[in-house]
Structure formats: C-alpha cells, structure tokens
Amino acid sequence: GAVVSQHPSRVICKSGTSVKIECRSLDFQATTMFWYRQFPKQSLMLMATSNEGSKATYEQGVEKDKFLINHASLTLSTLTVTSAHPEDSSFYICSANKAVLGGPTLHFGNGTRLTVT
Amino acid sequence: DAKTTQPPSMDCAEGRAANLPCNHSTISGNEYVYWYRQIHSQGPQYIIHGLKNNETNEMASLIITEDRKSSTLILPHATLRDTAVYYCIVRVAYNTDKLIFGTGTRLQVFP
C-alpha cells in the first residue's frame, strides 16, 4: 500500500492565487522530504529538499519566495505555490525516505496536477 | 551519484519479455542500481535494486554485468499495464540524499 500520501491529486486555481499541496508519510517518520516538478513528457526535476524543523534547501533556479515549503512535523511537508501563474501549471510530486532494511528507501506520492487558469 | 544512460524509448509485444538496458560505467563500488517506473500521471514506483548479484522479485529481474558497468531490467511477461517510463538510478544504498532522475526509457507495450 501507499506509504506517502499527497493531497490534493488535482487542483485548478486562478492566476494570482495561492495553492497548498500536502505530503504525508503514512507509517513512518520523515525528517527529509523532497519536492519535484514535472512538465509534460519531461523527467522529474528536483525543486527543493524539505527539512523537518529547519529551512528548506532549494535547487538552483527555484524561487524560494514563490514555492514556500513548510515541514512542521515528522510526517507532513507542505508546498505552497504563491501568486500562481499559468506557467506554474505542472505535475508536483513529493517523496520521502523510509529506512527499511534491505529494501527501497525512497517512496513517492501520487502527485498533484496543478492547473492555473 | 554516478550517471546513467538509457535508450529513450522501446517497444514490446504483450506477453513477451521486455529487456531494458542501462549503462552506468562510472558506478562506484558502494553504489547500488535502482529501478523505478512512472506510469502516466502517477508518482514513480520502486521496482527493484541490486549491488552485483542478479535480483528477482515479483515485478522484475535485474541482471548486472560482472564489471557492474551496465545492467538490464527484465519484465518477463510484459502487459499493457507495464507501459511506463522506466528510470535507472545508481546511488549509495540507504543514501538519504536527494534522488536525481535522468530521462529514462519510455516502454510501450502493444497488443
């Protein structure tokens, strides 16, 4: 079953408004979560690393004031797209590391399709 | 993490084996080979990983060459639901750092 839950799965908003996307680790604690963005027919692009209790680390070229990340608990990270514009329309995916002996460490949410009109 | 090279696309007939290659000639001794796939409009899904021995699970088999410079993911009996983009990634096991995706291989399974 899913170990990382992302909500909402789809959202449509008007230009200039803000949208919040939630990422939850369901049965484990995640001190670090990652936010990716994916445009049609392209690979996942890492946007930022969300750190519980401290500031997020943003990849080069990603505006930290536009993409606000909050990781207030060990099971929840949120990404807020502020003053959204049509060019922010994309597929946003979060992931979290789960320590499992002998198994995979990185689990992904099912993504959020953001459409800005 | 070492860089990987994959063909951009492949086709496979339903019911046949799909063999997806990956080159990772600069892999380090402590780096594992991981495979993920992404079905359209979903998040990536873990498939399998290995260090140097061949691995098999309920989803696929992973064959790693003796020099570890390349590997092949095998889906033994491809179905239409296996149509997806497959990503080969090398990284140190249990590395909690960010995961960087390449362009992957778009596998199209046809009837």
Side-chain angles (χ1 to χ4, degrees), chain A residues 1 5 7 14 21 23 26 42 51 68 72 75 83:
Chain A
S5 173
H7 179 80
K14 292 186 176 181
I21 303 170
C23 180
L26 295 183
Q42 295 187 22
N51 304 300
L68 299 180
T75 59
S83 186

Side-chain angles (χ1 to χ4, degrees), chain B residues 53-99:
Chain B
N53 296 321
N54 297 337
E55 302 288 343
T56 296
N57 63 20
E58 65 278 5
M59 291 183 67
S61 294
L62 174 60
I63 308 297
I64 303 174
T65 58
E66 193 169 340
D67 63 7
R68 303 210 319 124
K69 292 185 177 182
S70 65
S71 60
T72 301
L73 178 73
I74 301 172
L75 308 178
H77 306 286
T79 70
L80 298 178
R81 287 175 294 181
D82 292 322
T83 292
V85 179
Y86 287 78
Y87 294 98
C88 167
I89 301 166
V90 295
R91 71 193 305 229
V92 176
Y94 309 115
N95 183 352
T96 57
D97 202 359
K98 57 194 177 186
L99 199 64

Side-chain angles (χ1 to χ4, degrees), chain B residues 4-84:
Chain B
T4 63
T5 304
Q6 299 176 252
S9 64
M10 294 182 65
D11 291 336
C12 178
E14 189 177 20
R16 303 296 294 269
N19 299 303
L20 292 89
C22 179
N23 287 324
H24 31 78
S25 58
T26 60
I27 191 170
S28 301
N30 62 347
E31 287 184 313
Y32 284 63
V33 180
Y34 286 81
W35 283 84
Y36 285 81
R37 73 178 181 184
Q38 187 180 22
I39 295 170
H40 182 63
S41 294
Q42 296 182 23
Q45 175 190 23
Y46 165 82
I47 302 174
I48 199 167
H49 76 288
L51 181 63
K52 55 183 179 180
N53 296 321
N54 297 337
E55 302 288 343
T56 296
N57 63 20
E58 65 278 5
M59 291 183 67
S61 294
L62 174 60
I63 308 297
I64 303 174
T65 58
E66 193 169 340
D67 63 7
R68 303 210 319 124
K69 292 185 177 182
S70 65
S71 60
T72 301
L73 178 73
I74 301 172
L75 308 178
H77 306 286
T79 70
L80 298 178
R81 287 175 294 181
D82 292 322
T83 292

Side-chain angles (χ1 to χ4, degrees), chain A residues 32 34 36 38 41-44 46 49 59 91 93 97 100-106 108-111 113, chain B residues 34 36 38 40-46 49 87 91 93-104 106:
Chain A
T32 304
F34 304 95
Y36 293 83
Q38 186 176 35
K41 297 192 176 183
Q42 295 187 22
S43 186
L44 285 78
L46 181 68
T49 301
E59 295 300 302
F91 192 51
I93 307 168
N97 274 305
V100 178
L101 183 62
T105 58
L106 201 62
F108 291 84
N110 254 341
R113 175 78 56 194
Chain B
Y34 286 81
Y36 285 81
Q38 187 180 22
H40 182 63
S41 294
Q42 296 182 23
Q45 175 190 23
Y46 165 82
H49 76 288
Y87 294 98
R91 71 193 305 229
Y94 309 115
N95 183 352
T96 57
D97 202 359
K98 57 194 177 186
L99 199 64
I100 305 299
F101 284 80
T103 53
R106 185 173 297 274

Side-chain angles (χ1 to χ4, degrees), chain A residues 3-103:
Chain A
V3 296
V4 175
S5 173
Q6 197 170 332
H7 179 80
S9 57
R10 290 178 179 271
V11 58
I12 300 172
C13 71
K14 292 186 176 181
S15 186
T17 62
S18 296
V19 174
K20 180 185 284 188
I21 303 170
E22 292 186 348
C23 180
R24 295 182 184 273
S25 56
L26 295 183
D27 61 354
F28 65 101
Q29 294 180 335
T31 56
T32 304
M33 292 185 178
F34 304 95
W35 288 96
Y36 293 83
R37 179 169 54 181
Q38 186 176 35
F39 292 107
K41 297 192 176 183
Q42 295 187 22
S43 186
L44 285 78
M45 295 290 294
L46 181 68
M47 298 176 65
T49 301
S50 172
N51 304 300
E52 188 268 335
S54 64
K55 292 182 179 180
T57 305
Y58 291 82
E59 295 300 302
Q60 191 172 8
V62 178
E63 300 175 57
K64 62 180 182 181
D65 294 329
K66 180 168 185 60
F67 299 100
L68 299 180
I69 291 174
N70 185 277
H71 195 152
S73 79
L74 287 171
T75 59
L76 174 64
S77 175
T78 61
L79 169 68
T80 301
V81 183
T82 62
S83 186
H85 292 288
E87 56 265 30
D88 298 324
S89 297
S90 188
F91 192 51
Y92 293 86
I93 307 168
C94 71
S95 67
N97 274 305
K98 179 178 182 181
V100 178
L101 183 62

